[in-house]
Amino acid sequence: MPSLLTALDCGRHIHLIIGSNPLASARCAKSIEVGAKPKIIAPADADVHYVLAKRIEDGEVEWIQDGFKDDHLTTLGRDEVDNVVDAVFVTSGGKSALSTHISTLCRRKRIPVNVVDTPNLCTFTLLSTHSDGPLQIGITTSGKGCKLASRIRREIASYLPTNLGAAIERLGTVRRRIWEEDHKTYQADESTAEVEDDDPPAQRPTFNRLVSEDDHDAARTRRMRWLSQVCEYWSLKRLASITDADIDTILRSYTSSSDPVPSLGTSRRPEPQIILAGSGPGSPSLLTVATHRAIQTASVILADKLVPAPVLDLIPRRTPVHIARKFPGNAEAAQEELLSLGLEALRKGHTVLRLKQGDPYVYGRGAEEYAFFREKGYLPIVLPGITSALSAPLFAGIPATHRSVADQVLICTGTGRKGAAPDPPPYISTQTVVFLMALHRLSSLVDALTGAGASAEVTKSDREARHWPGETPCAVIERASCPDQRVIRSTLKHVCAAIEEEGSRPPGLLVVGWSCEVLTDLKGKGRWVVEDGFTGFDGIDPGLDNLKQLVNGPELDAASSEEPSSDLLALKPVLMHI
Ligand code: SAH
């Protein structure tokens, strides 16, 4: 289990440090640094590390000249917490009887305890930290390598520009001044006050509503977004060298609620922009960099229902999002609603991202939307996405083409206009056919392909010429690239029974053709085989957390260390509220 990383306010806390060796001395130094008051427990005749001795002499550290006694835990602390100490550090002895005893006592009394070199006696561990003013970075290797933790810390620290801490301080000032100014201007009401926070704990219930120009709340949100963009897109080096003059320009560049989002340093009304982008089949790792950037910079996002939650998770929390309300019978109305919301937002000067699943021009109605916005005077930017039609077979180990097996690929829909079945493609033995939107009417599709439903007049040779043999291998691939991806390998003869028995896990598609057999041999394995789970990126995927890092700035892996320090980055969870 990973640990919960937190940043503790230790002001005026009492830290009980058992021992007087160099480690005890280092612990005391750290406690003093974070505003706590250290008290050491060591017998009167103990060797006291010389730095510690000096601190005792100077009155920074109190020395209780005694061996450890149980009641030290509940008598040496602050009055306001009934004299219970705030944390205990055992600096020698490791897994000795005394350490075990202290650890047990502390656990019972809920006092955080750390025992040197003995992770199982600790209820908390210290991080290897780098501090630069308000910036603190903490590293842990979860007890796997304290030396390594400190090496990683040094490397990360050396990568950071000097003066970053001071720059953070300055930007904090900007943020506070914007906040104060907004407060003054709008006298925010109770219900909206929390949005000023750069990182509000929850998106407000109105997030799904488009903002209007005279909407003060929205104006505030835009300014904060702009500040975030400065933080996001200026290089760290540039940020670190931010000057008072820069800050003044930034602050001057917006003055009233009707001001548009200022660009970096100049006051410019943004051009309305519509971006049609594909979000890939499911995994956020399959987003293009261009689409990822569009997700970060758009001021309004209109997403398809099929866009997977992990991709939606990447949307900055303050960006208003509308998810298409598509359900059977409502598709047309939902589409129109999205288009008119998009248009409305464009007319207000927004950068609108129309986020579509897979590729926007593969059964995505992308071109219809392109034509719609173009006709209204807004020429869309179109960003491709990885289509499920080609990536799902790949993730199922099916090459769309393969020398001497498949020299062509056909992508079809299983659902024709008004829900009718489209004509099945004729049999071509060297073709891989991918059917999207086909699983809800799989049996009629398979019947049409194999000629099972053909009328009696069709001659046998006709049938053989046009129709796909029942033994043609095929696969149903569902939720491709998602952790719950499922592949059912079968043949046209048995695939319907397989789906009936296994149930469905939308969205999914059907791949038909001899290419299904190129990398998988199903002989002797029964009528169908089910493969659950997605391992496509094992070993190379940076993981969603790293993508989130791009969104929210660095979040460092952490948990324990030998370093005489504490405190760490508070993690920012990314949550979408839909
Ligand atoms: N534009 C999309 C396709 C939209 S049509 C693209 O390029 O992928 C919707 C169909 O896509 C679904 O019915 C399903 O057949 C297929 N589909 C979408 N995502 C999928 C996924 N992750 N795994 C399998 N099929 C998927």
Side-chain angles (χ1 to χ4, degrees):
M1 285 287 174
S3 306
L4 176 69
L5 300 183
T6 54
L8 276 183
D9 173 1
C10 294
R12 301 185 49 252
H13 280 197
I14 304 290
H15 288 171
L16 201 60
I17 292 155
I18 320 289
S20 55
N21 59 15
L23 180 61
S25 175
R27 292 284 185 254
C28 285
K30 191 69 194 177
S31 294
I32 292 166
E33 194 183 311
V34 299
K37 173 133 187 50
K39 295 188 177 181
I40 68 158
I41 305 275
D45 58 353
D47 270 348
V48 178
H49 183 252
Y50 67 96
V51 181
L52 193 49
K54 174 85 177 60
R55 287 190 193 279
I56 293 167
E57 209 180 296
D58 293 347
E60 288 181 320
V61 176
E62 187 181 332
W63 179 10
I64 314 295
Q65 300 193 350
D66 200 354
F68 175 79
K69 302 246 165 36
D70 292 0
D71 69 358
H72 286 151
L73 297 181
T74 48
T75 54
L76 295 173
R78 294 172 288 149
D79 284 348
E80 67 258 48
V81 290
D82 295 338
N83 307 109
V84 178
V85 298
D86 295 289
V88 172
F89 297 88
V90 181
T91 60
S92 65
K95 210 173 164 48
S96 65
L98 179 64
S99 304
T100 311
H101 173 69
I102 296 175
S103 170
T104 311
L105 262 185
C106 286
R107 278 171 206 262
R108 197 176 304 146
K109 298 194 182 305
R110 308 269 180 94
I111 302 170
V113 59
N114 178 282
V115 179
V116 62
D117 281 341
T118 324
N120 60 339
L121 294 185
C122 297
T123 58
F124 73 98
T125 48
L126 296 175
L127 306 176
S128 176
T129 60
H130 165 80
S131 302
D132 177 6
L135 172 68
Q136 285 189 282
I137 297 173
I139 306 287
T140 170
T141 53
S142 304
K144 307 289 182 216
C146 51
K147 288 272 182 300
L148 206 50
S150 107
R151 157 90 195 277
I152 293 169
R153 168 182 54 79
R154 284 198 310 274
E155 296 240 340
I156 290 176
S158 70
Y159 165 81
L160 298 174
T162 45
N163 296 332
L164 190 55
I168 292 171
E169 199 75 71
R170 278 205 167 90
L171 284 162
T173 310
V174 180
R175 186 164 173 271
R176 203 186 54 248
R177 278 173 63 181
I178 291 179
W179 192 91
E180 282 166 4
E181 191 135 334
D182 286 338
H183 245 59
K184 209 166 52 206
T185 314
Y186 306 120
Q187 292 298 314
D189 63 49
E190 299 294 323
S191 64
T192 60
E194 81 213 38
V195 238
E196 337 289 0
D197 198 309
D198 190 29
D199 183 21
Q203 199 153 10
R204 293 171 316 111
T206 50
F207 80 99
N208 210 5
R209 174 171 62 86
L210 289 178
V211 291
S212 61
E213 205 69 81
D214 49 6
D215 184 336
H216 293 160
D217 185 23
R220 280 205 297 270
T221 307
R222 279 204 302 277
R223 278 191 293 270
M224 277 302 183
R225 175 184 299 115
W226 155 78
L227 181 62
S228 302
Q229 284 181 1
V230 170
C231 297
E232 180 86 24
Y233 292 109
W234 281 26
S235 70
L236 278 187
K237 209 164 146 216
R238 174 75 185 89
L239 272 178
S241 61
I242 199 162
T243 61
D244 285 339
D246 286 332
I247 300 286
D248 281 347
T249 318
I250 289 169
L251 285 169
R252 263 204 318 275
S253 64
Y254 83 93
T255 45
S256 74
S257 67
S258 57
D259 255 8
V261 180
S263 68
L264 308 179
T266 58
S267 202
R268 177 179 69 84
R269 189 183 176 83
E271 288 294 315
Q273 182 67 68
I274 168 85
I275 304 162
L276 287 177
S279 64
S283 165
S285 296
L286 297 173
L287 283 173
T288 63
V289 174
T291 298
H292 185 251
R293 180 155 295 198
I295 289 174
Q296 295 310 297
T297 51
S299 53
V300 170
I301 296 185
L302 307 172
D304 273 355
K305 196 182 73 179
L306 271 184
V307 173
V311 171
L312 296 176
D313 276 350
L314 298 174
I315 298 173
R317 264 165 281 182
R318 67 176 67 77
T319 308
V321 183
H322 180 92
I323 314 281
R325 287 191 269 263
K326 277 193 188 165
F327 50 84
N330 185 52
E332 220 42 60
Q335 180 72 5
E336 273 164 30
E337 184 188 30
L338 276 194
L339 292 177
S340 61
L341 282 172
L343 197 56
E344 198 184 315
L346 283 169
R347 288 183 175 145
K348 287 174 180 149
H350 284 282
T351 300
V352 180
L353 172 62
R354 189 52 196 99
L355 196 57
K356 304 175 75 65
Q357 206 254 349
D359 182 274
Y361 282 180
V362 178
Y363 296 115
R365 302 186 70 169
E368 282 173 43
E369 297 187 16
Y370 182 95
F372 172 87
F373 288 115
R374 182 178 59 183
E375 197 210 315
K376 304 291 180 196
Y378 301 99
L379 199 63
I381 293 173
V382 188
L383 303 176
I386 293 184
T387 178
S388 62
L390 293 174
S391 59
L394 179 146
F395 289 126
I398 300 171
T401 68
H402 187 72
R403 197 146 51 98
S404 75
V405 176
D407 55 14
Q408 41 184 280
V409 191
L410 180 66
I411 299 172
C412 325
T413 170
T415 309
R417 263 198 105 56
K418 303 219 159 77
D423 281 345
Y427 179 52
I428 297 174
S429 66
T430 58
Q431 192 172 67
T432 303
V433 191
V434 184
F435 293 96
L436 305 184
M437 298 176 280
L439 297 187
H440 59 290
R441 44 182 317 124
L442 187 65
S443 62
S444 55
L445 172 66
V446 171
D447 280 355
L449 280 172
T450 55
S455 60
E457 300 96 71
V458 178
T459 63
K460 188 164 177 293
S461 63
D462 242 17
R463 185 171 306 158
E464 274 163 11
R466 278 194 55 77
H467 292 110
W468 293 70
E471 60 273 18
T472 312
C474 65
V476 168
I477 306 156
E478 295 163 295
R479 304 189 56 75
S481 81
C482 303
D484 54 349
Q485 169 178 301
R486 186 174 70 172
V487 181
I488 300 179
R489 301 180 198 277
S490 187
T491 56
L492 284 178
K493 197 148 119 208
H494 300 301
V495 68
C496 294
I499 292 300
E500 235 160 72
E501 202 154 302
E502 306 290 344
S504 68
R505 196 182 280 183
L509 50 75
L510 173 74
V511 192
V512 180
W514 295 96
S515 55
C516 292
E517 264 192 0
V518 166
L519 296 175
T520 325
D521 185 7
L522 290 179
K523 284 189 193 72
K525 296 213 174 122
R527 293 181 298 158
W528 65 82
V529 171
V530 181
E531 292 161 15
D532 234 315
F534 178 71
T535 54
F537 300 140
D538 283 6
I540 53 135
D541 189 21
L544 186 57
D545 287 345
N546 284 15
L547 268 180
K548 283 179 181 172
Q549 263 190 38
L550 294 175
V551 184
N552 291 321
E555 293 174 357
L556 300 169
D557 173 38
S560 97
S561 117
E562 281 294 272
E563 290 292 299
S565 57
S566 160
D567 285 12
L568 59 138
L569 275 179
L571 298 186
K572 270 172 55 172
V574 181
L575 280 174
M576 263 294 297
H577 303 264
I578 298 170

